[in-house]
Amino acid sequence: MEGSNLDMLYEARLARARQAMREKGIDLLLLTPATDLFYLTGMRGHLFERLACCIITKDEVHFISPVFELGNLKEDTRSLLCCHGWRDGEDPFALANGLLPRQGCTIAVGAAVPSWVLLGMQTLRPQYTWVSAEGLMRGLRMVKDEAEYALLKKAQQNSCRALCRLIEHGLCGMTELQAGKLLMQYSDEEGVDSPDGVPIVAAGPNSALPHHVTGDTVICPGDVVVIDFGGENRGEGYIADTTRVFAIKRMPEGLQEIYDIVMAANQAAFEAAKPGAVCEDVDKAARSVIEKAGYGQYFTHRLGHGLGLDVHEHPYLSAGSKHIIQAGNVFSDEPGIYIPGRFGVRIEDLLFVHPEGAERLTPLDHALRVVD
């Protein structure tokens, strides 16, 4: 998206945020550079030791920043902001003091706002009612718009092209770490950054560890290899997340049976994921398949998690999650069976919920492949 289209997108999101603020009795919204602020304004960047924050009112978005950082703002982002620059040696909280209303207000604070910023602001206005903005921002970000749908789909496609290149290269004889770094290289070439570092490459018995730390284990013939990978589409913020399973050189005994059970669970969740369904029931749809097959004790984690600008965000698909799925929700569908000392299987797709049901944004098929 370009120019005026981006302006309209962020203006619409800010309007939704202000409507939610009115409904919740919130007068001000305090955010620092992180994914919540990027969602509302398109502002990239990180918060370091210098104060940078936005104070969103019913009419304006005030941005307090070191003056030398203001030049980094994109034109479409800057057009949304009232910018207030400060120089080293000046007190940035004095700027905030001049912007915050004196009368009592309810101010919502973003989840990424660090304690030193919060405490500094509270010192200025101890009479305010201070509340968390987590619920407000969750409600906005859980329902993806058309622009987010397109960006998530693009991220999945780019990321999965990188995996296909890795499999074409072959895995046997490499260490997990070598394979992971090669996948990062291919991802970079496909326009996908890896902010979390080397992806999960788990070979042999390591594949039975859902969050195995990729290491120096050599990938050998007869191994099962689980690859959990993704990253951020460069410059666009939206995340890809996929898991696939491979047999090296030959099919180990029992792998096809376990794989078929996990695939059936994946399909059951896919069919259950539709508007009006409850998140815990989608988890149950997948889990019951694995339990009926006698492997319930080996499915040790929730079915899935929301995904967007963060790799883990609401909604979560797990027991006890009462969220009612809406069109625009996005989450992973990743059932698994992990047999200690032998191998593990996890099949992960990203689902986008349309009014008529779910779509798999992951472009890979589900064939169990024997690879070199």
Side-chain angles (χ1 to χ4, degrees):
M1 297 180 70
E2 299 180 358
S4 60
N5 287 336
L6 278 173
D7 291 345
M8 292 173 61
L9 174 69
Y10 294 125
E11 286 171 0
R13 290 179 181 175
L14 283 166
R16 288 177 58 217
R18 288 180 170 123
Q19 176 62 31
M21 289 166 64
R22 287 192 293 270
E23 292 172 356
K24 295 177 180 293
I26 293 169
D27 302 297
L28 305 171
L29 175 60
L30 175 66
L31 300 174
T32 48
T35 52
D36 280 345
L37 191 55
F38 177 71
Y39 174 80
L40 290 178
T41 68
M43 184 187 300
R44 304 285 287 180
H46 302 279
L47 179 65
F48 297 104
E49 74 280 6
R50 294 179 173 92
L51 179 65
C53 67
C54 273
I55 301 169
I56 299 173
T57 74
K58 65 178 181 178
D59 300 311
E60 295 175 311
V61 181
H62 294 286
F63 179 48
I64 299 171
S65 168
V67 68
F68 64 83
E69 296 283 9
L70 295 177
N72 293 325
L73 293 174
K74 293 182 179 179
E75 184 177 345
D76 51 277
T77 298
R78 187 159 188 157
S79 68
L80 300 169
L81 309 176
C82 298
C83 294
H84 309 270
W86 62 276
R87 301 179 186 279
D88 284 346
E90 298 177 343
D91 179 8
F93 286 99
L95 282 176
N97 191 44
L99 297 171
L100 294 170
R102 295 286 174 180
Q103 68 271 24
C105 288
T106 297
I107 183 167
V109 181
V113 174
S115 60
W116 65 269
V117 174
L118 174 59
L119 292 171
M121 294 291 185
Q122 286 180 322
T123 299
L124 297 176
R125 295 292 184 272
Q127 71 270 30
Y128 280 12
T129 299
W130 298 82
V131 299
S132 171
E134 199 272 339
L136 184 151
M137 293 305 305
R138 178 201 310 173
L140 297 174
R141 289 177 53 181
M142 272 199 300
V143 179
K144 270 56 177 180
D145 55 37
E146 291 183 6
E148 292 176 290
Y149 166 77
L151 290 169
L152 284 163
K153 195 165 189 175
K154 179 181 176 183
Q156 291 292 119
Q157 291 169 339
N158 290 349
S159 178
C160 288
R161 279 200 300 271
L163 179 71
C164 291
R165 292 175 63 182
L166 176 66
I167 297 310
E168 184 177 348
H169 174 277
L171 298 171
C172 193
M174 302 177 75
T175 66
E176 296 170 340
L177 193 57
Q178 288 170 334
K181 287 183 176 180
L182 185 56
L183 180 54
M184 288 179 69
Q185 176 188 321
Y186 290 147
S187 296
D188 179 71
E189 292 169 1
E190 296 292 344
V192 177
D193 294 328
S194 303
D196 295 327
V198 181
I200 295 174
V201 180
N206 293 340
S207 64
L209 303 171
H211 281 175
H212 171 65
V213 178
T214 303
D216 294 325
T217 299
V218 176
I219 300 171
C220 297
D223 277 349
V224 174
V225 175
V226 172
I227 302 179
D228 186 337
F229 67 103
E232 175 187 323
N233 228 38
R234 188 168 303 129
E236 295 174 340
Y238 285 84
I239 302 292
D241 191 12
T242 304
T243 306
R244 286 296 185 267
V245 179
F246 304 95
I248 306 302
K249 296 288 188 180
R250 61 177 182 267
M251 190 76 70
E253 182 180 353
L255 175 60
Q256 187 69 63
E257 175 198 355
I258 299 299
Y259 190 92
D260 289 345
I261 295 167
V262 174
M263 188 58 245
N266 175 287
Q267 180 65 24
F270 171 73
E271 294 173 1
K274 59 187 64 177
V278 180
C279 280
E280 68 175 356
D281 291 339
V282 180
D283 175 276
K284 186 176 180 180
R287 198 168 302 277
S288 63
V289 172
I290 293 174
E291 289 173 345
K292 288 176 182 176
Y295 291 95
Q297 65 179 313
Y298 301 113
F299 182 10
T300 54
H301 55 74
R302 65 191 174 206
L303 174 69
H305 55 84
L307 184 143
L309 291 169
D310 293 309
V311 70
H312 287 170
E313 58 184 54
H314 290 274
Y316 293 98
L317 280 69
S318 62
S321 178
K322 304 297 184 182
H323 173 74
I324 298 174
I325 294 171
Q326 302 167 263
N329 287 169
V330 176
F331 41 78
S332 63
D333 172 8
E334 50 181 307
I337 294 176
Y338 310 94
I339 304 176
R342 292 185 62 198
F343 58 74
V345 171
R346 181 167 67 257
I347 304 170
E348 178 183 14
D349 296 316
L350 187 64
L351 306 186
F352 186 97
V353 181
H354 297 283
E356 66 277 7
E359 174 191 357
R360 287 186 174 105
L361 299 187
T362 307
L364 301 174
D365 64 33
H366 295 106
L368 175 56
R369 289 187 172 86
V370 178
V371 303
D372 291 333

